[in-house]
């Protein structure tokens, strides 16, 4: 590193220095910064700023809390494609506590968390995956501490909170009807800290690292109404889908192995939730840009949207109602029938009464009227 | 409430509620009509009542003569444009067919979306034109009641929100789709208790008049 020009030398203890030490060339680092900037739809002028910011940024302390989750989000990140620059960027942050990845356990692990909190009070980034059960604090505990207590305690000194995955962002699977654990999201509990939601089941690995890179380089990203970074969640899957022309033409796969499916036609009828889903899947894709669910022949589940588990069958078209109309229709028709018959009989009775009350008028009666 | 939650509500409980009121109202109205009954006609039939009734159900689709067409050309043309457009948008748009297939059990092929889009735009224009006509024609305006405007609105808004949802105009898609479905649910609720019932009763009344004329052996 001593042979390099001073202008390209990263600051000591920074993300940049760590990456150099890991054997990432400046060229590789620049490529990563360019790719990240383009993914975030930043203008090329921002690339040098991103490079500079990341090279200078001190390695932030990150505390990662896992609550009611399936570890899929961590899997997504760690299994992305080792070793990528994204992976190393993630290593380059000082991950001080992550109970799935760390070797320590029990009280030793909790001690590490408390120390990291004390040392970096007000500066650390808190990453949360998993929802928090409020039904009974005993439903999910770590070292005897309930999830809600640990979250509230750790959030106090955080600079910002990143809710990774749909469970942390909105409640996700644990919150699905009938929500047996009383699960809630991070933003349901914490109102006084900046929260960035990175939903997905799991989120795209480069989106997680991209959000962290953005936070390190430029601070909080611009968020949409669901607190998702617009740079990654501003695009609609349906609008960006390469199968969209088939939707417009009315060419649909009816089953997963029919002619339409083989020809790569639109998956709307097979339940694709692309039209209501905002995520980077159709543009950034998965597995180093290899493909995304729709490209492999399966409709979008809408996993980056709140309550996507409760939207009825994954294999029913978006326009289909979620409930079962049969019983409701039966009751409605029975009630309509009963009231209709009653109303009809009443009308008949009225008619009969009118006929009975009808007085015949004779010519004499009319003459009588003239005289009076 | 997020757009996704709103959409869940309109696709779930709100849809069930609207359909329940729609079916309840529909059966109630039909029973009211049918249970009134008719007096037995003791006169000797000079023609076939059934044939006259069925014939009239279809002949009334066309104006009776040139003169009556000329007198209300606008109403007939604009009326046809928006009714045909409404039927195309409602029954030949693939997501709608999927909905019908899932609730009723029968489906049919749909049209490419740009064609449905064209018909929707024509229908919107025709509906605006008929409203303008209603508001500017002195006799029509005098005869119009609140119900007429309500029925116009509950027909127009589903088309407008559907058009907006398809083109992703102004709002996030989940909200747009939710508003579209909700507006149709309002239409379903209002339907049995307003003149929208003509969708079904028009065939009843045409048959009734045609059958009376047919029985007498005259043209209806």
């Amino acid at each position: 590193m001593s042979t390099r020009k001073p202008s390209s030398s990263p600051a000591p203890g920074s993300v940049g220095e760590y990456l150099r030490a890991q054997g990432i060339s400046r060229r590789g680092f620049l490529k990563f910064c360019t790719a990240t900037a383009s993914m975030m739809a930043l203008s090329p002028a921002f690339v040098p700023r991103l490079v500079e910011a990341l090279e200078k940024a001190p390695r932030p302390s990150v505390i990662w809390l896992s609550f009611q989750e399936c570890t899929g989000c961590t899997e997504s990140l760690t299994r992305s494609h080792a070793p990528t620059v994204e992976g190393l960027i993630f290593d380059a942050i000082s991950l001080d506590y992550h109970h799935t990845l760390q070797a320590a356990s029990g009280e030793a692990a909790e001690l590490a968390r408390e120390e990291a909190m004390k040392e970096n009070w007000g500066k650390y980034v808190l990453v949360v995956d998993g929802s928090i059960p409020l039904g009974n604090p005993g439903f999910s505990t770590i070292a005897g501490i309930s999830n809600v207590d640990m979250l509230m305690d750790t959030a106090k000194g955080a600079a910002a909170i990143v809710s990774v995955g749909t469970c942390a962002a909105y409640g996700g699977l644990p919150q699905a009807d009938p929500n047996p654990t009383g699960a809630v999201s991070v933003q349901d509990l914490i109102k006084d800290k900046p929260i960035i939601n990175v939903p997905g089941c799991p989120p795209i690995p480069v989106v997680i690292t991209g959000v962290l890179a953005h936070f390190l380089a430029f601070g909080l990203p611009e968020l949409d109404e669901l607190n998702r970074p617009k740079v990654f969640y501003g695009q609609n899957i349906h609008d960006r889908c390469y199968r969209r022309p088939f939707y417009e033409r009315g060419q649909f796969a009816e089953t997963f192995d029919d002619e339409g499916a083989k020809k790569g036609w639109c998956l709307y009828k097979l339940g694709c939730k692309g039209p209501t889903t905002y995520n980077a899947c159709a543009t950034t894709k998965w597995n180093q840009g290899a493909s995304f669910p729709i490209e492999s022949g399966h409709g979008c589940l809408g996993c980056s949207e709140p309550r996507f588990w409760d939207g009825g069958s994954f294999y029913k078209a978006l326009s289909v109602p979620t409930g079962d109309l049969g019983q409701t229709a039966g009751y409605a028709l029975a009630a309509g029938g009963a009231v209709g018959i009653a109303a009809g009989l009443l009308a008949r009775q009225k008619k009969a009464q009118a006929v009975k009350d009808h007085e015949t008028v004779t010519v004499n009666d009319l003459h009588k009227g003239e005289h009076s | 409430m997020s757009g996704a939650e709103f959409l869940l509500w309109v696709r779930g409980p709100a849809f069930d509620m609207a359909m329940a009121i729609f079916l309840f109202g529909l059966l109630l109205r039909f029973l009211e009509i049918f249970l009134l009954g008719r007096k037995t006609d003791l006169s000797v039939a000079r023609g076939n009542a059934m044939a006259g009734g069925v014939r009239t159900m279809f002949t009334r689709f066309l104006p009776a003569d040139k003169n009556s067409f000329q007198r209300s050309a606008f109403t007939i043309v604009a009326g046809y444009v928006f009714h045909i457009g409404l039927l195309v948008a409602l029954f030949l748009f693939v997501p709608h067919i999927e909905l019908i297939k899932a609730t009723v059990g029968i489906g049919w092929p749909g049209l490419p979306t740009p064609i449905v889009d064209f018909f929707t735009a024509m229908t919107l224009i025709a509906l605006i034109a008929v409203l303008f006509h209603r508001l500017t024609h002195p006799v029509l305006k005098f005869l119009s009641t609140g119900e007429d405007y309500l029925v116009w609105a509950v027909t127009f808004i589903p088309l407008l929100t559907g058009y907006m949802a398809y083109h992703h105009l102004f709002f996030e898609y989940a909200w747009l789709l939710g508003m579209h479905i909700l507006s149709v649910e309002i239409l379903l609720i209002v339907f049995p208790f307003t003149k929208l019932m003509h969708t079904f009763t028009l065939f009843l009344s045409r048959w009734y008049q045609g059958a009376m004329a047919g029985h007498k052996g005259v043209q209806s």
Side-chain angles (χ1 to χ4, degrees):
Chain A
M1 271 187 18
S2 56
T3 58
R4 289 180 190 279
K5 279 186 285 180
S7 63
S8 67
S9 293
S14 69
V15 175
E17 189 197 50
Y18 184 84
L19 290 176
R20 291 288 162 79
Q22 295 290 315
I24 299 292
S25 66
R26 180 157 173 82
R27 185 185 172 81
F29 179 62
L30 287 176
K31 268 170 79 179
F32 166 75
C33 289
T34 310
T36 306
S38 76
M39 194 169 64
M40 293 192 283
L42 298 173
S43 91
F46 273 85
V47 178
R49 280 179 61 188
L50 184 67
V51 172
E52 202 187 319
L54 282 184
E55 288 204 316
K56 299 268 159 62
R59 293 176 62 196
S61 167
V62 170
I63 296 174
W64 183 304
L65 299 179
S66 301
F67 298 139
Q68 291 193 127
E69 46 84 46
C70 67
T71 315
C73 295
T74 301
E75 290 284 348
S76 167
L77 198 63
T78 56
R79 301 280 172 92
S80 55
H81 209 282
T84 58
V85 185
E86 297 96 293
L88 283 167
I89 268 279
F90 194 68
D91 290 343
I93 60 174
S94 170
L95 190 56
D96 292 325
Y97 178 89
H98 186 309
H99 75 225
T100 313
L101 300 179
Q102 71 197 1
S105 64
E107 282 179 11
E110 294 317 302
L111 209 64
R113 179 174 61 88
E114 281 158 23
E115 267 176 22
M117 283 170 61
K118 217 182 288 170
E119 273 173 34
N120 304 289
W121 189 258
K123 284 182 290 187
Y124 59 85
V125 176
L126 174 60
V127 179
V128 181
D129 70 333
S131 64
I132 302 99
L134 294 186
N136 180 334
F139 285 151
S140 177
T141 64
I142 297 159
I145 306 166
S146 72
N147 288 171
V148 62
D149 287 346
M150 187 178 280
L151 174 66
M152 300 316 273
D153 188 42
T154 316
K156 274 182 207 151
I161 301 172
V162 182
S163 296
V164 169
T166 303
C167 297
Y170 315 127
L173 172 62
Q175 200 194 42
D177 188 44
N179 190 5
T181 62
V184 296
S185 69
V186 173
Q187 64 185 4
D188 287 336
L189 292 170
I190 294 166
K191 307 286 179 193
D192 58 348
K193 293 278 174 190
I195 295 177
I196 309 169
N197 283 334
V198 186
C201 194
I204 305 172
V206 292
V207 169
I208 306 176
T209 51
V211 169
L212 291 173
H214 191 291
F215 183 72
L216 290 182
F218 308 118
L220 280 178
E222 197 190 341
L223 304 175
D224 70 3
E225 64 160 12
L226 295 170
N227 289 331
R228 301 178 291 197
K230 277 187 179 166
V231 287
F232 299 111
Y233 295 90
Q235 301 278 3
N236 183 274
I237 300 286
H238 189 53
D239 283 351
R240 289 284 164 192
C241 184
Y242 75 105
R243 297 194 188 208
R244 179 68 179 264
F246 298 108
Y247 173 84
E248 303 297 352
R249 267 185 248 154
Q251 291 175 314
F252 298 91
E254 305 278 342
T255 65
F256 282 109
D257 58 355
D258 69 355
E259 209 47 42
K262 282 170 192 157
K263 284 180 176 162
W265 289 354
C266 178
L267 300 166
Y268 183 90
K269 288 187 178 179
L270 291 170
C272 181
K273 304 296 184 289
T276 48
T277 307
Y278 290 78
N279 206 339
C281 299
T283 44
T284 304
K285 303 192 180 177
W286 290 77
N287 301 324
Q288 294 201 307
S291 75
F292 72 114
I294 294 171
E295 204 167 345
S296 60
H298 193 288
C300 169
L301 302 181
C303 75
S304 56
E305 298 300 317
R307 298 191 60 195
F308 79 101
W309 292 98
D310 291 329
S313 167
F314 287 150
Y315 302 102
K316 272 190 187 168
L318 187 62
S319 60
V320 171
T322 54
D324 180 20
L325 195 63
Q327 205 182 18
T328 317
Y331 284 130
L333 287 173
V339 179
I341 288 169
L345 292 178
L346 212 67
R348 283 195 143 194
Q349 203 186 19
K350 240 173 152 178
K351 200 166 80 173
Q353 193 62 44
V355 171
K356 219 170 85 183
D357 292 347
H358 181 76
E359 285 172 29
T360 318
V361 181
T362 63
V363 178
N364 290 339
D365 291 335
L366 292 174
H367 282 302
K368 258 188 248 164
E370 263 171 26
H371 291 300
S372 60
Chain B
M1 188 190 260
S2 68
E5 279 169 337
F6 174 59
L7 188 58
L8 273 186
W9 182 72
V10 296
R11 285 177 67 207
F15 179 80
D16 285 358
M17 219 147 52
M19 276 307 280
I21 295 171
F22 175 69
L23 291 172
F24 167 85
L26 220 54
L27 192 60
L28 168 71
R29 292 294 302 271
F30 275 126
L31 284 173
E32 272 183 341
I33 295 167
F34 288 128
L35 286 178
L36 271 180
R38 290 170 63 191
K39 262 189 189 162
T40 329
D41 193 341
L42 299 171
S43 65
V44 179
R46 287 184 186 161
N48 189 329
M50 182 56 81
V54 173
R55 193 182 335 109
T56 307
M57 275 163 73
F58 295 98
T59 53
R60 290 281 162 92
F61 277 115
L62 296 171
D65 53 70
K66 210 175 152 194
N67 198 19
S68 52
F69 174 76
Q70 277 168 347
R71 255 187 296 136
S72 43
F74 173 81
T75 309
I76 293 168
V77 173
Y80 261 99
V81 169
F82 94 72
H83 275 94
I84 290 170
L86 207 57
L87 291 174
V88 169
L90 180 57
F91 292 114
L92 295 175
F93 185 49
V94 171
H96 297 167
I97 301 169
E98 286 301 296
L99 164 68
I100 295 164
K101 204 156 79 181
T103 46
V104 186
I106 44 167
W108 49 82
L111 283 176
T113 48
I115 297 175
V116 178
D117 191 45
F118 169 77
F119 275 96
T120 309
M122 291 304 294
T123 312
L124 285 169
I125 294 166
L127 275 170
I128 291 168
V130 296
L131 180 69
F132 183 75
H133 185 235
R134 185 182 283 283
L135 288 169
T136 49
H137 193 286
V139 177
L140 201 53
K141 192 176 180 204
F142 177 75
L143 290 173
S144 298
T145 62
E147 188 191 318
D148 293 314
Y149 296 108
L150 173 76
V151 163
W152 181 88
V154 296
T155 312
F156 184 78
I157 294 169
L159 274 160
L160 181 69
T161 51
Y163 185 82
M164 282 164 65
Y166 175 67
H167 289 281
H168 290 210
L169 298 176
F170 310 125
F171 300 96
E172 201 205 333
Y173 185 75
W175 281 106
L176 281 173
L177 185 61
M179 284 193 285
H180 174 58
I181 297 173
L182 182 66
S183 67
V184 176
E185 283 158 3
I186 292 169
L187 172 71
L188 283 173
I189 291 169
V190 168
F191 190 101
F193 310 106
T194 55
K195 68 174 187 179
L196 286 169
M197 268 301 277
H198 78 269
T199 311
F200 300 111
T201 53
L202 116 134
F203 293 104
L204 287 183
S205 55
R206 279 183 189 180
W207 184 87
Y208 186 67
Q209 293 195 320
M212 282 203 298
H215 183 81
K216 291 174 185 163
V218 294
Q219 211 180 359
S220 69

